[in-house]
């Protein structure tokens, strides 16, 4: 890889390489630290969530970034009680990891063991005065942990070559790893995110269907960023999503059912939202759906009893198809034929006189004193004089 780095002459923010190259911090967390560090002093006295909204971070992305910063010591929170039963949350922000004791010193306005004080609580008059006793006997020793040792650059000058780093495993890093593992165990045991799923809903999932369901869940990020899932989260929901496929739902219909009609306020937790939707919108089994359709059909009405026919001919019985029918089919057809034959004979015996053309009708109306107007182009308006 070829790199061409030009140091900016002004308007830049200095960031430690330990932050930029941190392997366990996400990009959102790093951008949030750099954004807050580059703000003027009067604009930093805000909650971290307001700065995240200024960066247009979604709720889930901000919660993940804040969790990483709290886990690795860049952000510390503490609730304090005020007068009249009120409470407030004090956030301590730093571009270098701080321990709980160092964060308490910063809240009290005391430098945190070598780190300069940050935030509105910085009071130079609260700092302890330097000691006047003699230095400790002994030769100076080298650094034991942390920091960077520049190899080929001068202090205070910009250079495109990054300084060499000393990778020393410290006790704080091991503690951070233990905290991360403990946090992951707590998240796996957390019943509030929809992980305690009903075992009756998932019955012997097919591995092929589970794999297809995980791919559908991971592809939801292409529909909307609010439904972005990690591999482990998709694996936890794969069995329940595979139950949809086992009940006859296609992969496209499953993707549409999970990504459509999202809440107006947005999705704060993609895992919890999808777990709730997978359980609440789970379609019934094909056998249950057929039983529901059969149950929904109206019961057939009982057949009517046979009655005597009112038609011509001898007395006979028939079963009517409706309660208002009084004649059987053959008798009804015979009555219809007789009716129309009689109507035709009367029409032939006394035919109606032919109707005169409309022009003669208009002329007759005009002579009688009426004013009738014929169709356009065929005559003029007739008026009485």
């Amino acid at each position: 890889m070829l790199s061409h780095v030009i140091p900016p002459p002004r308007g830049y923010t200095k960031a430690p390489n330990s932050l930029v190259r941190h392997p366990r911090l996400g990009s959102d967390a790093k951008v949030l630290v750099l954004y807050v560090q580059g703000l003027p002093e009067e604009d930093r006295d805000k909650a971290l969530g307001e700065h995240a909204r200024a960066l247009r971070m979604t709720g889930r992305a901000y919660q993940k970034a804040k969790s990483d910063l709290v886990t690795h010591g860049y952000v510390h929170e503490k609730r304090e009680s005020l007068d009249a039963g009120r409470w407030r949350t004090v956030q301590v922000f730093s571009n270098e990891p701080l321990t709980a004791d160092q964060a308490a010193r910063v809240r009290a306005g005391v430098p945190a063991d070598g780190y300069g004080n940050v935030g509105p609580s910085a009071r130079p008059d609260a700092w302890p005065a330097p000691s006047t006793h003699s230095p400790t006997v002994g030769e100076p020793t080298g650094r034991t942990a942390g920091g960077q040792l520049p190899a080929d650059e001068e202090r205070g000058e910009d250079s495109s070559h990054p300084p060499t780093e000393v990778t020393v495993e410290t006790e704080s890093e091991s503690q951070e790893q233990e905290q991360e593992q403990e946090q992951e165990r707590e998240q796996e045991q957390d019943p509030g995110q929809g992980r305690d799923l009903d075992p009756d809903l998932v019955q012997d999932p097919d591995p092929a269907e589970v794999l297809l369901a995980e791919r559908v869940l991971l592809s939801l990020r292409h529909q909307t960023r609010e439904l972005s899932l990690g591999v482990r989260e998709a694996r936890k929901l794969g069995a329940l999503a595979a139950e949809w496929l086992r009940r006859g739902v296609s992969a496209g219909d499953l993707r549409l059912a999970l990504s459509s009609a999202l809440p107006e306020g947005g999705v704060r937790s993609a895992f919890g939202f999808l777990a709730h939707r997978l359980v609440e919108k789970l379609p019934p089994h094909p056998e249950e759906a057929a039983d529901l359709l059969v149950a929904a059909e109206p019961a057939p009405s009982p057949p009517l009893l046979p009655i005597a026919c009112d038609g011509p001919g001898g007395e006979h019985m028939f079963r009517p198809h409706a309660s208002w029918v009084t004649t059987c089919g053959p008798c009804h057809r015979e009555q219809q034929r007789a009716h129309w034959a009689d109507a035709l004979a009367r029409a032939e015996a006394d035919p109606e006189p032919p109707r005169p053309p409309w022009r003669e009708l208009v002329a007759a109306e005009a002579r009688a004193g009426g004013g009738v107007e014929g169709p356009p182009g065929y005559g003029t308006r007739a008026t009485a004089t």
Side-chain angles (χ1 to χ4, degrees), residues 75-203:
V75 174
H76 293 264
E77 291 184 334
K78 183 179 180 182
R79 296 191 64 189
E80 298 180 353
S81 60
L82 302 177
D83 297 337
R86 294 180 300 173
W87 291 81
R88 71 172 181 178
T89 301
V90 180
Q91 291 180 335
V92 176
F93 168 83
S94 174
N95 63 345
E96 288 285 349
L98 298 179
T99 62
D101 182 62
Q102 291 174 338
R105 289 173 177 268
V106 172
R107 284 194 298 268
V110 181
D113 296 340
Y115 294 110
N117 199 10
V118 294
S121 62
R123 299 193 306 270
D125 55 349
W127 297 355
S131 60
T132 58
H133 63 275
S134 302
T136 306
V137 178
E139 296 295 333
T141 59
R143 303 178 68 175
T144 57
Q148 294 82 25
L149 296 179
D152 55 353
E153 67 177 5
E154 298 180 1
R155 293 182 179 272
E157 294 185 2
D158 296 325
S159 173
S160 60
H161 299 284
T164 58
E165 298 186 36
V166 178
T167 57
V168 180
E169 184 70 19
T170 62
E171 183 180 358
S172 60
E173 293 181 355
S174 61
Q175 294 178 356
E176 292 175 358
Q177 294 178 358
E178 294 177 358
Q179 292 177 358
E180 288 182 357
Q181 295 176 359
E182 182 179 359
Q183 185 179 7
E184 292 178 356
R185 289 194 297 268
E186 292 178 355
Q187 291 179 354
E188 292 178 355
Q189 299 174 359
D190 183 12
Q193 296 294 334
R195 294 177 175 84
D196 292 344
L197 303 177
D198 189 357
D200 297 336
L201 299 179
V202 182
Q203 301 176 359

Side-chain angles (χ1 to χ4, degrees), residues 4-15 34 156-161:
H4 180 64
V5 181
I6 301 177
R10 64 181 65 87
Y12 60 91
T13 301
K14 290 186 177 180
L34 296 178
E157 294 185 2
D158 296 325
S159 173
S160 60
H161 299 284

